Amino acid sequence: YSQMRSEKEQVVSLVKRVLLDLVSVYTPSGEESKARETLERIAGYLDLPLRVDDTNSYYFGKGNERFLLASHIDTVPGYLPPFDDGNAVGGRGAVDAKGPLSAMLVASSLLRKEGCEVEVAALSDEEAFSKGAKKLATSGRSFDFVVIGEPTSTTGIGIEYRGVMHLDIKCKSTSAHASSGQANVIMKAAEGLQKVYSPPKEYDTPTITPTIFRSGEAINVIPSEAYLHLDVRFSARNDPEVILKGIVETFRDCEVTVTERLEPVRVSPNNQLVRAVMRALLKQGQKPNLVRKWGTSDMNILYKVSKEIVAYGPGDSRLEHTDYERITYEELYIGTMTYYNTIKDLCEKY
């Protein structure tokens, strides 16, 4: 028992050290290069080879491994001071997704010492346009198994993500004095928003959310233009063309441009990798559960490099993108050992 406790303490000490190093560097999308010196230091004390590509994605491995653990190094904007309160580590990205990334790096280091070769990818731009994942997906590489490091509340196994469409909408009218003008492009855009807005309801009901609205420059002039951005999420059971057609018809007098579109991803709960993650959790006395994620992740893109793909990660997913990002030592330990046991199981069988 004392030996087991000592091994757990060593793992926890190592993974929280990695995470504290990572959350101490603020890396919102587009600023991933700031993490280079830190990741080089982490690669050194974990004894992992490191490569960096032109998207500022970081790869720990030789580049010929069959197993991939992939998370992301960027975060949403909004700096949070890093902390370690003796029970948990906090800071921007502690949950999404530097916590899962830290667990992956430590698991990889442990596995390599046992002769099981696994690559870890700290991809860039996941919170924006997934430049890192898209580069990897078109690189010609493929993997037998891929685990995506996203917070799934530590015992969840992500088998489905919804797709996304990002829409730019530009409406135009004639400017006029605020005291006498009749047409108002702000009202025109707002009326369209009222018709298409669809807040989160059920998983298979599309979510249509306005995230940007800009119009006007002077306090006494009705503007001639209005710009808004829609974030549209849809499941594999929805027809995105029907959703798009409805939005275009609503804003028929405006210019609607699709700036990005990613298809939903769904894997069988019976595939080999899902079962391996289940076994890894059960081995630790944890009860696994299958989850469908409401958002979108690099899993939607990296499905192209391996059909044996799943999302898993430590951390309470309710805390991601909030001002309360924190992940407990226990969550980090369970996550690390889940990655470790999953890949070790696959190494021995394949």
Side-chain angles (χ1 to χ4, degrees):
Y1 173 79
S2 61
Q3 182 181 357
M4 289 175 59
R5 181 175 178 82
S6 175
E7 290 174 351
K8 179 177 179 177
E9 289 174 345
Q10 290 176 25
V11 170
V12 169
S13 176
L14 191 54
V15 70
K16 75 174 183 177
R17 176 186 176 186
V18 174
L19 181 53
L20 278 169
D21 278 349
L22 290 179
V23 295
S24 295
V25 185
Y26 179 49
T27 53
S29 302
E31 299 182 32
E32 296 89 347
S33 61
K34 292 181 178 179
R36 182 162 188 158
E37 184 177 332
T38 298
L39 288 171
E40 287 174 345
R41 183 171 67 254
I42 291 171
Y45 64 71
L46 292 182
D47 193 25
L48 297 172
L50 174 63
R51 310 183 321 278
V52 187
D53 74 9
D54 59 7
T55 72
N56 287 314
S57 294
Y58 301 83
Y59 291 88
F60 299 80
K62 299 175 182 176
N64 58 358
E65 291 85 356
R66 296 183 299 127
F67 307 119
L68 176 67
L69 300 175
S71 190
H72 58 94
I73 189 62
D74 66 313
T75 68
V76 294
Y79 175 76
L80 295 177
F83 67 84
D84 179 356
D85 65 9
N87 179 64
V89 175
R92 177 58 72 208
V95 175
D96 187 17
K98 292 180 178 181
L101 176 59
S102 299
M104 285 179 161
L105 288 167
V106 173
S108 170
S109 179
L110 296 174
L111 287 161
R112 284 181 172 277
K113 291 175 182 177
E114 298 183 10
C116 179
E117 299 290 327
V118 56
E119 185 167 8
V120 177
L123 298 169
S124 64
D125 200 45
E126 193 272 349
E127 300 291 2
F129 297 104
S130 292
K131 293 176 183 176
K134 288 175 180 175
K135 171 102 178 191
L136 177 57
T138 57
S139 67
R141 294 191 65 190
S142 62
F143 299 87
D144 292 347
F145 300 95
V146 176
V147 181
I148 302 296
E150 286 287 331
T152 57
S153 297
T154 311
T155 56
I157 303 171
I159 61 170
E160 184 171 354
Y161 276 89
R162 297 200 294 179
V164 63
M165 283 190 293
H166 286 287
L167 306 180
D168 278 346
I169 301 177
K170 298 177 182 178
C171 302
K172 295 184 178 182
S173 185
T174 302
S175 63
H177 196 284
S179 66
S180 58
Q182 298 298 310
N184 191 309
V185 74
I186 293 178
M187 294 304 300
K188 177 181 177 182
E191 288 168 4
L193 274 180
Q194 290 277 10
K195 292 178 181 178
V196 302
Y197 175 55
S198 177
K201 297 172 186 175
E202 298 176 351
Y203 189 87
D204 292 321
T205 300
T207 303
I208 304 174
T209 307
T211 56
I212 303 173
F213 194 128
R214 289 196 297 262
S215 186
E217 295 180 354
I219 62 172
N220 58 354
V221 177
I222 296 174
S224 61
E225 296 184 358
Y227 162 80
L228 57 137
H229 184 87
L230 295 183
D231 179 300
V232 182
R233 308 288 171 143
F234 54 96
S235 81
R237 299 159 189 83
N238 304 137
D239 186 342
E241 292 300 326
V242 172
I243 300 168
L244 179 60
K245 182 179 179 182
I247 294 172
V248 169
E249 288 179 350
T250 299
F251 291 94
R252 63 171 60 91
D253 296 325
C254 303
E255 177 186 336
V256 179
T257 304
V258 179
T259 59
E260 183 184 31
R261 175 169 160 177
L262 292 178
E263 300 306 314
V265 59
R266 179 173 54 177
V267 298
S268 168
N270 296 314
N271 77 22
Q272 300 172 76
L273 182 55
V274 171
R275 293 200 300 269
V277 178
M278 283 185 170
R279 289 192 295 269
L281 284 164
L282 290 168
K283 187 174 182 177
Q284 300 177 79
Q286 304 296 320
K287 183 179 179 181
N289 61 293
L290 301 178
V291 297
R292 299 193 294 169
K293 300 283 282 184
W294 285 62
T296 307
S297 78
D298 284 343
M299 181 169 162
N300 297 67
I301 298 167
L302 296 181
Y303 184 72
K304 297 175 182 177
V305 303
S306 179
K307 298 302 182 284
E308 287 282 346
I309 189 169
V310 74
Y312 169 79
D316 186 342
S317 59
R318 294 172 298 180
L319 300 180
E320 57 184 309
H321 296 194
T322 73
D323 291 340
Y324 307 99
E325 280 197 80
R326 67 190 298 275
I327 186 167
T328 67
Y329 295 172
E330 187 66 14
E331 289 172 321
L332 287 169
Y333 176 73
I334 293 170
T336 301
M337 298 314 295
T338 300
Y339 294 132
Y340 170 83
N341 286 318
T342 296
I343 301 300
K344 185 177 180 182
D345 182 1
L346 297 171
C347 266
E348 292 172 350
K349 291 182 176 178
Y350 305 100

